[in-house]
Amino acid sequence: MTMMAMAEVPCLCARPSLAVPARRPGTAPPLRGVARLCPNATAARGVAAVRASVVEAATVVEDEDAEEEEEALEERYALGGACRVLAGMPAPLGATALAGGVNFAVYSGGATATALCLFTPDDLKANRVTEEVLLDPLINRTGNVWHVFVEGEVHNMLYGYRFDGTFAPECGQYLDASNIVVDPYAKAVISRGEYGVPGPGGDCWPQMAGMIPLPYSTFDWQGDLPLRYPQKDLVIYEMHLRGFTKHASSNVEHPGTFIGAVSKLDYLKELGVNCVELIPCHEFNELEYSTSSSKVNFWGYSTMNFFSPMTRYTSGGIKNCGRDAINEFKTFVREAHKRGIEVILDVVFNHTAEGNENGPVLSFRGIDNITYYMLAPKGEFYNYSGCGNTFNCNHPVVREFIVDCLRYWVTEMHVDGFRFDLASIMTRGSSLWDPVNVYGAPIEGDMITTGTPLVTPPLIDMISNDPILGGVKLIAEAWDAGGLYQVGQFPHWNVWSEWNGKYRDIVRQFIKGTDGFSGDFAECLCGSPHLYQAGGRKPWHSINFVCAHDGFTLADLVTYNNKYNLSNGENNGDGENHNLSWNCGEEGEFARLSVRRLRKRQMRNFFVCLMVSQGVPMFYMGDEYGHTKSGNNNTYCHDNFVNYFRWDKKEESYDLHRFCRLMTKFRKECESLGLEDFPTAEQLQWHGHQPGKPDWSETSRFVAFSMKDETKGEIYVAFNTSHLPAVVRLPERIGYLWEPVVDTGKPAPYDFLTDDLPDRALTVHQFSHFLSSNLYPMLSYSSVILVSRPDV
């Protein structure tokens, strides 16, 4: 026997059609036990015929003694050349290649019968099952895990499951044998092969199936190891994988793919980025909204399978049963690491693509709806995600699934961390109705109801203390669509950092000149100690950002006061109304010269703020050249130039791109701009228009500080967000003079004075009469950086 020590069970083979009539609750007969696969079956039979045959076979077997049964099985082998089906093992979950075959294991707490469905790729396209194996609950079930081992070469086939049991949506039950669902643990999912193109007959939801893994790896990591940068040293670039190279101006061989993005990694290295945060790359259906190519799910926040990379982000599509998708993703990670760039995945464990009760049955719902989703007593779906359902994250089975998934992406795919979309959902109590199932023990006087925010959420505890995930970057979007807002208060175990939404809002208001934010702005520059210091966290637990994939781009933030989302087809009713933007005096891109100049200053001001703030700076793809979405602040549905990185525009906007590149370089050169802990009074001194006299009044629009630095000696940074210019007195340093490096009030290339600028000395000399008197003139809405130099 093999290591599995599995009993062989009698079996019947079948090749049923997928064309099974829709089931009505209580009318379909249950699936019955099975167990041996004959891959050379000659006749296709319907599910009803299979069930009848199984019952007949089972009756015959009961009447046979062991010797007759063995002879019958040997005869079947001799006649059909069949491979055997054995009991299998309940762990690990998913499809696992072992010596001599593949073990299949899947959890379903409510199913009364289960069938493993196998497909050839051609049969999947033709919408028919190649072979179906009915599992015997006495032999192929351990606890709530169904399992079976299939001997032989099945690695070039695909698989799914049927589950039978109670179908009663009013009770939260969706077990229906007419559906073939995808294993949540499938490592690649195959359906349509080409992005944006429906399946046969215009079907946007053709039958899906999982890849059966090989017993060996076909990928060469070439010695790749984790980079393990200290988080304080990161500069994060939020990036849409398809959008990065899909535009024709990218001039890559495979635009919109993992391989295409590899061709542009050197650009990111030159920009000064050492970490990319990929907007969801798990398998999702971009055509879930309609068949129209003008409106698709471009962002991908609607996951179908959390283990699978998006097959339509690959050059090979669904070729090689999806293994090419895995290898191309690995290639992207490997090549990013070679260039010193870490890879963080945006993961969406708050909901799935199955939506509410009107959504499709794809995977989780058809396997165990009650386990995987937060449900009310009458089967209604809680909607803390705003997308129709809420993943039941703190259920014991679900949290184990999530941790298994994270481990897979770290160990098998070599990713360096995760950003958790709407992470506050992961802190809510599961729909199990009592604390015993949440914590494992009763809590006296405490009643945990579905969705209650938990002080010590079991899932966050598991992730935080998992030995395999130690050292992995964990970033929470610390809010959800149900009103839970936890920025600064997310349960963290000192390992979780957060998208700092308060930083974004405060910086936007101060930079555009809103009164009453000078003190809050200073806190942001220090790494938001008012949010993180009391809880024992550090500045680098704050992910600082001004713009991200949702909301205005940096260019639109200074161009529009209002959103313009009509092209989304929702009468401009979608998207955020409270944008804290300012158009600098005129609405829209076409404005007089003075307004356009002010906008350029403001974009630079925001970027300076990001790069001189303690914490981790993050900016969105395209903001470094001023990408515009024409005022649309919710471009989730546009697979076109609106969301594509415009490589041609980058060349046209060289001045802004140069400034951003030099600012990231300056940050890395300054030890003081990425501190391990919050700055102290010995390191940092605040100033106003006069040194040492900061103005924290409600009407103050000026903030400045000087900072001791091991490499630069000392730096001076000032922001004047008033509509009036100012002459600033600089702090006096005996034996040193202040020399300007950055001044956003000046035109390029004088906005950033590099050592190789041909007339740099002349430019500095023009200000010598100010600098020799420890003065510096600042334009309205401008920022400056000066460094101390020995007075020789």
Side-chain angles (χ1 to χ4, degrees):
M1 290 294 288
T2 65
M3 58 176 286
M4 306 175 65
M6 296 176 291
E8 183 177 333
V9 290
C11 141
L12 193 73
C13 65
R15 186 172 184 166
S17 168
L18 284 181
V20 178
R23 169 183 165 179
R24 297 189 300 275
T27 62
L31 294 172
R32 295 187 183 274
V34 93
R36 195 175 143 252
L37 174 65
C38 299
N40 297 321
T42 57
R45 285 180 256 174
V47 171
V50 175
R51 289 171 178 158
S53 299
V54 170
V55 173
E56 181 181 352
T59 302
V60 172
V61 169
E62 287 174 1
D63 295 336
E64 294 177 342
D65 58 25
E67 184 176 349
E68 292 173 341
E69 179 182 340
E70 183 65 26
E71 290 176 356
L73 287 172
E74 289 177 358
E75 181 180 1
R76 286 175 185 170
Y77 281 120
L79 294 176
C83 55
R84 294 189 301 171
V85 172
L86 305 176
M89 299 185 300
L93 294 175
T96 305
L98 299 171
V102 178
N103 189 76
F104 298 87
V106 62
Y107 165 88
S108 179
T112 58
T114 301
L116 172 68
C117 299
L118 298 174
F119 306 82
T120 64
D122 288 340
D123 278 348
L124 182 66
K125 291 179 183 178
N127 205 33
R128 62 174 178 261
V129 176
T130 307
E131 306 290 350
E132 186 159 338
V133 185
L134 308 182
L135 306 188
D136 187 333
L138 298 179
I139 299 174
N140 301 108
R141 183 173 183 173
T142 303
N144 291 326
V145 176
W146 296 81
H147 46 82
V148 64
F149 182 84
V150 179
E151 284 191 346
E153 294 295 329
V154 293
H155 304 293
N156 290 323
M157 300 186 77
L158 307 167
Y159 77 105
Y161 292 101
R162 298 188 198 269
F163 292 93
D164 204 357
T166 302
F167 184 88
E170 69 278 5
C171 299
Q173 302 275 13
Y174 288 83
L175 294 166
D176 185 343
S178 68
N179 294 317
I180 298 179
V181 296
V182 175
D183 181 3
Y185 279 79
K187 302 309 186 291
V189 174
I190 304 303
S191 59
R192 297 177 294 103
E194 187 175 351
Y195 189 97
V197 178
D203 188 359
C204 293
W205 290 100
Q207 179 63 48
M208 297 180 294
M211 173 206 72
I212 297 177
L214 295 171
Y216 53 86
S217 174
T218 61
F219 185 77
D220 181 7
W221 278 106
Q222 299 176 5
D224 178 69
L225 292 172
L227 296 175
R228 295 194 181 277
Y229 290 139
Q231 189 156 312
K232 67 182 183 66
D233 296 335
L234 295 185
V235 175
I236 300 177
Y237 190 82
E238 192 190 20
M239 186 178 99
H240 189 284
L241 195 286
R242 175 175 171 85
F244 190 51
T245 61
K246 184 58 182 175
H247 195 267
S249 62
S250 70
N251 293 319
V252 301
E253 184 177 356
H254 300 289
T257 67
F258 295 116
I259 294 299
V262 168
S263 304
K264 295 295 187 179
L265 287 173
D266 288 333
Y267 162 76
L268 296 179
K269 182 178 181 180
E270 179 191 8
L271 183 60
V273 168
N274 60 6
C275 179
V276 292
E277 183 177 300
L278 297 178
I279 287 178
C281 290
H282 292 135
E283 187 69 25
F284 67 94
N285 184 0
E286 74 281 5
L287 296 181
E288 67 176 1
Y289 302 132
S290 68
T291 59
S292 171
S293 61
S294 62
K295 184 171 182 177
V296 301
N297 180 358
F298 183 76
W299 284 349
Y301 287 90
S302 191
T303 306
M304 295 192 306
N305 185 280
F306 293 98
F307 279 86
S308 309
M310 178 63 166
T311 55
R312 290 175 297 286
Y313 281 178
T314 65
S315 61
I318 59 175
K319 295 178 181 178
N320 197 20
C321 295
R323 297 185 188 96
D324 288 352
I326 296 173
N327 287 343
E328 287 195 21
F329 181 89
K330 290 179 176 179
T331 299
F332 176 84
V333 174
R334 183 190 68 196
E335 296 305 308
H337 286 174
K338 285 182 179 179
R339 291 159 176 82
I341 300 172
E342 292 191 335
V343 178
I344 289 176
L345 285 189
D346 194 336
V347 291
V348 193
F349 289 115
N350 59 78
H351 75 283
T352 76
E354 292 182 305
N356 60 17
E357 61 275 6
N358 298 315
V361 177
L362 307 171
S363 180
F364 304 97
R365 175 171 297 157
I367 296 173
D368 199 326
N369 188 68
I370 291 176
T371 291
Y372 286 109
Y373 294 111
M374 283 192 192
L375 302 177
K378 294 185 178 180
E380 305 97 329
F381 289 84
Y382 280 88
N383 190 21
Y384 293 118
S385 68
C387 298
N389 64 53
T390 304
F391 216 44
N392 204 21
C393 295
N394 281 297
H395 185 288
V397 170
V398 181
R399 64 181 187 247
E400 183 177 352
F401 165 79
I402 292 174
V403 171
D404 285 347
C405 184
L406 298 177
R407 286 176 168 184
Y408 173 80
W409 284 97
V410 170
T411 59
E412 182 65 25
M413 309 296 260
H414 288 205
V415 302
D416 303 282
F418 305 93
R419 179 263 188 188
F420 294 80
D421 183 63
L422 299 184
S424 289
I425 283 176
M426 301 195 305
T427 72
R428 292 184 180 270
S430 62
S431 52
L432 288 179
W433 312 115
D434 66 271
V436 175
N437 285 318
V438 176
Y439 294 107
I443 300 176
E444 185 176 353
D446 189 11
M447 180 61 185
I448 303 295
T449 59
T450 300
T452 300
L454 307 174
V455 177
T456 55
L459 172 60
I460 306 301
D461 188 353
M462 283 183 68
I463 295 173
S464 304
N465 294 291
D466 186 82
I468 294 176
L469 300 178
V472 170
K473 274 79 175 178
L474 302 172
I475 303 171
E477 184 184 38
W479 56 83
D480 65 25
L484 184 56
Y485 191 81
Q486 297 176 305
V487 172
Q489 300 175 328
F490 190 84
H492 56 80
W493 278 264
N494 285 325
V495 296
W496 286 80
S497 53
E498 300 170 6
W499 264 29
N500 192 343
K502 292 184 178 181
Y503 176 99
R504 171 199 61 201
D505 296 344
I506 291 168
V507 167
R508 286 187 179 191
Q509 294 188 87
F510 181 77
I511 294 295
K512 74 188 182 81
T514 305
D515 286 340
F517 284 94
S518 59
D520 292 336
F521 181 73
E523 293 270 10
C524 291
L525 293 173
C526 291
S528 301
H530 62 302
L531 296 177
Y532 301 111
Q533 192 168 30
R537 283 189 281 181
K538 305 298 181 182
W540 44 268
H541 286 112
S542 173
I543 307 300
N544 302 328
F545 68 103
V546 175
C547 299
H549 67 273
D550 53 350
F552 282 146
T553 65
L554 185 60
D556 290 350
L557 186 67
V558 300
T559 304
Y560 298 95
N561 285 348
N562 304 302
K563 65 181 183 183
Y564 296 90
N565 296 2
L566 284 174
S567 60
N568 297 353
E570 301 181 42
N571 292 321
N572 210 39
D574 63 306
E576 179 61 59
N577 293 315
H578 190 60
N579 293 290
L580 303 175
S581 60
W582 179 43
N583 62 17
C584 298
E586 293 184 21
E587 188 77 351
E589 295 182 51
F590 301 101
R592 63 184 185 272
L593 182 60
S594 60
V595 170
R596 298 201 304 272
R597 286 175 175 168
L598 176 55
R599 290 172 178 171
K600 290 181 178 180
R601 293 207 302 276
Q602 288 291 74
M603 284 192 285
R604 286 163 170 78
N605 292 336
F606 280 121
F607 209 84
V608 168
C609 178
L610 267 180
M611 293 301 153
V612 302
S613 296
Q614 300 297 324
V616 179
M618 182 192 80
F619 60 101
Y620 183 63
M621 173 184 87
D623 279 348
E624 70 270 26
Y625 69 81
H627 182 80
T628 179
K629 298 181 180 179
S630 300
N632 191 328
N633 70 354
N634 191 33
T635 59
Y636 70 97
C637 58
H638 297 283
D639 180 36
N640 54 37
F641 67 92
V642 172
N643 280 318
Y644 295 167
F645 189 99
R646 295 290 302 273
W647 296 91
D648 51 345
K649 297 294 184 183
K650 178 189 77 72
E651 298 302 325
E652 296 173 9
S653 305
Y654 172 77
D655 291 345
L656 178 59
H657 175 263
R658 170 187 177 273
F659 182 86
C660 293
R661 174 173 54 81
L662 292 173
M663 274 304 309
T664 58
K665 181 174 182 289
F666 180 82
R667 176 184 175 86
K668 290 181 177 181
E669 291 173 348
C670 293
E671 161 272 336
S672 63
L673 297 181
L675 295 176
E676 176 67 27
D677 211 337
F678 297 100
T680 65
E682 288 74 27
Q683 296 169 303
L684 181 147
Q685 184 179 11
W686 296 104
H687 308 289
H689 291 106
Q690 298 295 321
K693 297 180 179 180
D695 182 2
W696 307 123
S697 68
E698 285 293 305
T699 57
S700 173
R701 299 185 182 181
F702 184 89
V703 170
F705 67 90
S706 57
M707 190 85 164
K708 293 180 181 178
D709 187 86
E710 291 182 358
T711 57
K712 301 291 185 182
E714 190 172 10
I715 61 173
Y716 175 90
V717 182
F719 295 88
N720 178 28
T721 64
S722 170
H723 62 285
L724 299 173
V727 176
V728 179
R729 180 167 292 278
L730 304 172
E732 186 172 347
R733 299 292 185 256
I734 297 175
Y736 292 87
L737 288 177
W738 292 103
E739 188 173 284
V741 176
V742 173
D743 188 341
T744 63
K746 290 183 170 55
Y750 307 107
D751 51 355
F752 198 112
L753 298 179
T754 57
D755 291 338
D756 59 353
L757 198 65
D759 48 358
R760 182 184 187 281
L762 177 61
T763 302
V764 173
H765 180 72
Q766 290 175 342
F767 286 86
S768 59
H769 56 298
F770 281 103
L771 296 171
S772 61
S773 302
N774 272 340
L775 298 173
Y776 194 83
M778 291 187 67
L779 206 59
S780 62
Y781 300 107
S782 69
S783 53
V784 300
I785 300 176
L786 298 91
V787 297
S788 61
R789 305 287 193 201
D791 184 10
V792 292

